[in-house]
Amino acid sequence: MASGNGLRSLALLTGAFAQIVFGALPFVQEGSEPVASRSNAIPTLITPAGYAFAIWNILFLGCVLFALYHLFRQGRASLARIGWPAAAAFWGNALWEVVVPLDGFGLASVAIIGAIW
């Protein structure tokens, strides 16, 4: 395993789990409100209903499975090309999940989304 491959796999795997952990923080941390509740509080056409966030469990499972697949198939060129962008997306989403419960859907949230995109 080349060190670049190992580092990429580590970034993917930790990012996949960070999304899960950081997404659960509002449920155990005082002073923050879950993303779904924040979204319900903003009655606009572009914010999803709170129940729409239930899909995140399935998405996070897919992220973990992808990270594990990447870990065990590091030699594949196609995985190497998408590994770093996927890790950046995982970690960006984890950061977003920390910011929104504390600060809401403000400028910081939009900046994180723009940076990930």
Side-chain angles (χ1 to χ4, degrees):
M1 166 168 59
S3 63
N5 287 338
L7 188 59
R8 185 177 56 246
S9 293
L10 181 65
L12 270 167
L13 198 56
T14 56
F17 281 104
Q19 293 178 106
I20 297 167
V21 172
F22 293 167
L25 283 179
F27 297 102
V28 296
Q29 178 182 358
E30 288 188 32
S32 63
E33 190 176 356
V35 174
S37 298
R38 292 256 186 198
S39 183
N40 269 342
I42 303 170
T44 68
L45 294 176
I46 62 169
T47 54
Y51 63 83
F53 291 92
I55 191 82
W56 281 20
N57 297 325
I58 296 167
L59 296 174
F60 290 159
L61 175 63
C63 291
V64 169
L65 292 175
F66 171 74
L68 288 171
Y69 183 77
H70 189 278
L71 178 67
F72 294 112
R73 301 279 190 224
Q74 293 181 16
R76 292 188 162 196
S78 59
L79 288 177
R81 282 192 304 271
I82 63 172
W84 284 116
F90 291 177
W91 276 105
N93 186 51
L95 175 64
W96 183 85
E97 288 180 302
V98 171
V99 169
V100 170
L102 296 173
D103 192 39
F105 294 101
L107 187 57
S109 172
V110 173
I112 293 168
I113 292 169
I116 295 169
W117 186 58

